[in-house]
Amino acid sequence: MLRVRFTSDDLARVRVAPGPDFLWEISNSVQTLQRRDGEREFGARGRWVRPRLSGSPRLLSRLLPPRDYSPETFHIAQLLPWIDANFRTYAEYDGRAVSGFSMGGFGALKYAAKYYGHFASVSAHSGPASLRRDAGLVTHWANVSSAALDPAGGSVYGVPLWDEARVSADNPVQRIESYRDKRVFLVAGTSPDPVNWFDQVNENQVLAGQREFR
């Protein structure tokens, strides 16, 4: 198990937002009204609200991020160019690495394969490298966690039927050739908490998937 230690100096620099980000609250509300999925959770509200709206949401939607805007869009299209523009980086393939912890480690592996020319190195700390092993346990977990966070109740890979093409495109063990000539570092815990069932399932599953990555 990877443990990240914060010193007292680190904690002293932490700043907590005083309240919700109203721009994102508005953005999420407008985009939820534009969607047609999530009928069970938001269908009745949407049918009541839409006829009562003025033209302002259409004007506002032009200022908002696109509906399918995601952390991936932010990382690749905005954050990466911003870093290169504001720091003394080697803004080229050999000068970049991507790394992440847990599902962030999976995201790092996904980025390294999908954006082959962006990153020469990738490291995944307790990050799953196999989506299909053990009846797709990691994929099911990704679906459950994404549905819990999505205001419209959507899942990343589809329920009950998976988007098989998307699973294959994101599955590191099915993209081995995309890591050729890259530096790849995988690490996972070998001694999960014996009384924590989630830790047992999580770390053992991640370790087995990383060993499958060859």
Side-chain angles (χ1 to χ4, degrees):
M1 172 73 69
L2 176 69
R3 290 180 172 83
V4 179
R5 179 175 177 269
F6 291 93
T7 67
S8 56
D9 289 338
D10 294 325
L11 295 175
R13 287 192 290 267
V14 172
R15 297 293 180 267
V16 179
D21 187 321
F22 294 110
L23 176 60
W24 279 109
E25 293 290 332
I26 294 171
S27 174
N28 288 336
S29 296
V30 171
Q31 292 175 356
T32 298
L33 289 172
Q34 293 173 333
R35 300 173 66 155
R36 296 298 175 180
D37 53 355
E39 176 68 19
R40 183 181 62 184
E41 295 84 359
F42 302 104
R45 183 175 75 96
R47 288 190 294 273
W48 188 89
V49 170
R50 289 188 190 101
R52 292 167 171 78
L53 291 175
S54 65
S56 56
R58 287 189 292 275
L59 296 175
L60 180 62
S61 65
R62 299 174 186 174
L63 305 176
L64 297 175
R67 192 182 70 186
D68 294 328
Y69 184 86
S70 68
E72 181 175 339
T73 305
F74 169 69
H75 292 153
I76 301 301
Q78 293 182 258
L79 181 60
L80 196 58
W82 184 87
I83 291 173
D84 287 336
N86 289 275
F87 295 91
R88 297 175 62 185
T89 65
Y90 291 97
E92 57 190 36
Y93 172 81
D94 288 333
R96 294 197 190 101
V98 59
S99 177
F101 171 67
S102 190
M103 288 306 285
F106 164 71
L109 288 169
K110 172 185 172 180
Y111 285 2
K114 183 174 182 178
Y115 302 98
Y116 181 87
H118 285 63
F119 306 104
S121 302
V122 56
S123 60
H125 303 261
S126 291
S130 178
L131 295 183
R132 296 187 182 276
R133 66 173 292 107
D134 293 339
L137 184 61
V138 171
T139 305
H140 288 303
W141 171 249
N143 276 338
V144 170
S145 57
S146 61
L149 295 174
D150 188 334
S155 61
V156 64
Y157 292 116
V159 175
L161 299 178
W162 292 356
D163 181 340
E164 295 289 347
R166 187 172 188 181
V167 174
S168 296
D170 288 356
N171 191 7
V173 299
Q174 292 182 260
R175 301 289 306 274
I176 295 297
E177 283 300 312
S178 298
Y179 301 95
R180 185 174 295 278
D181 299 324
K182 294 181 183 289
R183 295 181 294 273
V184 179
F185 176 77
L186 305 177
V187 63
T190 57
S191 55
D193 185 342
V195 297
N196 184 331
W197 70 267
F198 178 79
D199 202 36
Q200 287 280 340
V201 172
N202 183 62
E203 285 302 306
N204 288 336
Q205 180 67 211
V206 167
L207 182 60
Q210 290 187 354
R211 286 173 171 166
E212 185 183 333
F213 185 94
R214 287 179 174 84

